[in-house]
């Protein structure tokens, strides 16, 4: 796939656009020497890249990938953490949180392409995405209690929303690593593909998603996210508000017209 543009954020994060996928952004974790361990600098760069992507109305889908052959991301940079004083750790916390929140709050659909190790904060970055595509080499888990902390990038909240409270508790408390086939069976990942095809399949899914209305995609994501955890009546009110935000949009008018004229829509994005 030919790269048509590339924007680097700090040393360890790159956003790429590809020929034939004008509305798909690839957000690349690019710290291969450390298996994408999230240092303070890398966390800052992830947050900055997400800020830019969130403001780009041309992006309809984002795919989170890794440049390392054997890992998606191994979590927090424990070598850096080992040098921290307590005061350093307190100061770093908002920066670390901003990275995970940045991915979680991207307004367009986000797909994680996972291969190899996705552990701790690495798996939390994937959990912050809407869909996780994993290949047969993937190994996921939240092992934080084995080093005396807890998942702090959203894992204790995002994992039970995926797999239920009891299953999430077992995985967090045991700190165990889960290989690809079991991860798919448990719902820790959504799609399982052949080894080496996670990025390709995730980008292809991103392309299919990006063919749809950008206004509709953002509103649908908002309704899905805001409705989680609400009772049905409250959730339906969230959905109604999201529906009203798109029902009178240019995208809605174009979508209906294109359907009736039997042509592909040319979304105005408003």
């Amino acid at each position: 796939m030919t790269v048509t543009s590339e924007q680097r954020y700090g040393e360890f994060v790159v956003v790429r656009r590809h020929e034939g996928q004008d509305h798909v952004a690839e957000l690349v974790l690019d710290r291969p020497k450390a298996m994408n361990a999230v240092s303070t600098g890398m966390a800052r760069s992830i947050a900055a890249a997400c800020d830019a992507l969130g403001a780009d109305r041309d992006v309809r889908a984002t795919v989170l990938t890794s440049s390392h052959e054997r890992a998606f991301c191994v979590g927090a940079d424990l070598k850096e953490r080992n040098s921290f004083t307590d005061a350093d750790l307190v100061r770093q916390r908002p920066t670390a949180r901003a990275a995970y929140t940045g991915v979680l709050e991207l307004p367009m659909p986000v797909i994680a392409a996972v291969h190899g190790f996705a552990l701790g904060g690495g798996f939390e970055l994937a959990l912050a995405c809407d869909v996780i595509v994993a290949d047969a080499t993937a190994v996921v888990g939240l092992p934080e209690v084995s080093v005396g902390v807890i998942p702090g990038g959203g894992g204790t909240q995002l994992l039970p929303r995926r797999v239920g409270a009891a299953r999430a508790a077992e995985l967090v408390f045991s700190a165990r690593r889960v290989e690809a086939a079991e991860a798919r069976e448990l719902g820790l990942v959504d799609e399982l593909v052949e080894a080496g095809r996670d990025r390709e399949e995730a980008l292809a899914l991103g392309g299919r998603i990006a063919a749809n209305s950008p206004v509709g995609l953002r509103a649908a994501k908002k309704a899905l996210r805001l409705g989680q955890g609400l009772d049905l009546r409250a959730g339906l009110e969230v959905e109604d508000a999201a529906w009203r935000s798109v029902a009178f949009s240019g995208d809605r008018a174009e979508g209906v017209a294109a359907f009736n004229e039997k042509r592909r829509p040319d979304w105005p994005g408003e």
Side-chain angles (χ1 to χ4, degrees):
M1 192 172 291
T2 303
V3 175
T4 57
S5 69
E6 182 172 293
Q7 175 70 50
R8 184 166 286 276
Y9 294 84
E11 188 178 354
F12 304 127
V13 176
V14 184
V15 173
R16 293 179 178 142
R17 305 290 281 273
H18 301 278
E19 186 177 354
Q21 288 199 315
D22 296 338
H23 301 291
V24 179
E26 182 182 8
L27 176 57
V28 187
L29 305 176
D30 188 33
R31 195 186 178 202
K33 291 182 179 179
M35 300 181 83
N36 289 328
V38 182
S39 63
T40 303
M42 187 172 179
R44 193 173 289 117
S45 294
I46 292 170
C50 288
D51 283 345
L53 285 169
D56 189 343
R57 300 292 298 188
D58 192 50
V59 177
R60 301 178 191 172
T62 295
V63 180
L64 180 61
T65 70
S66 162
S67 65
H68 195 284
E69 292 182 356
R70 295 186 295 108
F72 174 72
C73 174
V74 294
D77 186 342
L78 296 184
K79 290 184 179 179
E80 180 188 61
R81 292 277 181 93
N82 193 48
S83 68
F84 279 5
T85 64
D86 288 352
D88 291 334
L89 191 60
V90 169
R91 281 193 292 270
Q92 193 227 24
R93 178 62 176 162
T95 301
R97 285 195 68 186
Y100 299 102
T101 303
V103 176
L104 184 65
E105 294 185 350
L106 281 169
M108 76 291 292
V110 185
I111 306 151
V114 174
H115 60 266
F117 297 112
L119 301 173
F123 188 39
E124 288 175 302
L125 285 172
L127 289 172
C129 299
D130 301 292
V131 179
I132 302 174
V133 176
D135 83 354
T137 71
V139 179
V140 305
L142 297 175
E144 284 88 347
V145 297
S146 70
V147 293
V149 291
I150 70 166
T156 64
Q157 305 306 304
L158 295 170
L159 188 59
R161 284 169 166 78
R162 269 189 164 267
V163 300
R167 178 62 67 191
E170 182 268 319
L171 291 166
V172 171
F173 296 159
S174 69
R176 71 183 179 95
R177 300 180 179 190
V178 183
E179 295 188 0
E182 184 185 4
R184 176 64 184 89
E185 181 182 342
L186 297 178
L188 300 175
V189 304
D190 302 302
E191 294 188 24
L192 186 59
V193 300
E194 294 177 2
R197 291 186 57 84
D198 56 295
R199 176 177 175 271
E200 179 182 350
E201 295 291 344
L203 285 168
L205 175 58
R208 293 193 296 273
I209 288 171
N212 296 309
S213 158
V215 171
L217 288 171
R218 290 182 179 225
K221 177 165 179 173
K222 187 174 183 179
L224 286 163
R225 287 290 177 89
L226 292 180
Q228 286 183 0
L230 299 179
D231 63 53
L232 180 58
R233 186 179 296 274
L236 290 173
E237 291 302 316
V238 168
E239 180 182 82
D240 185 65
W243 179 85
R244 290 174 185 277
S245 74
V246 301
F248 311 104
S249 68
D251 273 15
R252 196 276 309 171
E254 169 61 11
V256 172
F259 177 84
N260 284 289
E261 295 166 14
K262 298 181 179 180
R263 60 174 175 82
R264 296 181 67 177
D266 181 15
W267 304 114
E270 58 184 21

